Amino acid sequence: MQTITINIDNEQLVDKVTWFLDRLKNDGLEVVSREDWNDLKLLKSTRKEDSISFDEYLNNEN
């Protein structure tokens, strides 16, 4: 998979580019905002961490 970053200053142009890219989703294009991408990287980095059940979290929240 290749990643392309597009920086656009003009809100009208953002709408036009987004409209165009949305039409390519059926061909396999995935559109992710920069903010979403950063969130996804943070979530991915936590996958290897140990986790606790929500009940245990609530019992030890204080």
Side-chain angles (χ1 to χ4, degrees):
M1 179 189 312
Q2 291 186 351
T3 302
I4 299 172
T5 303
I6 302 172
N7 297 311
I8 306 172
D9 242 356
N10 180 316
E11 190 62 35
Q12 289 179 334
L13 185 56
V14 168
D15 292 339
K16 289 179 182 179
V17 170
T18 303
W19 176 87
F20 176 76
L21 294 175
D22 281 340
R23 269 103 194 112
L24 299 174
K25 286 183 178 179
N26 289 337
D27 294 327
L29 179 72
E30 178 183 23
V31 178
V32 179
S33 74
R34 180 76 168 173
E35 293 79 15
D36 290 344
W37 182 251
N38 289 336
D39 290 346
L40 289 171
K41 287 195 303 188
L42 289 172
L43 283 172
K44 182 180 177 187
S45 69
T46 64
R47 285 192 172 175
K48 295 177 184 164
E49 294 179 3
D50 292 334
S51 61
I52 60 170
S53 69
F54 188 66
D55 290 334
E56 186 177 344
Y57 169 77
L58 290 177
N59 288 336
N60 297 303
E61 68 179 321
N62 295 325

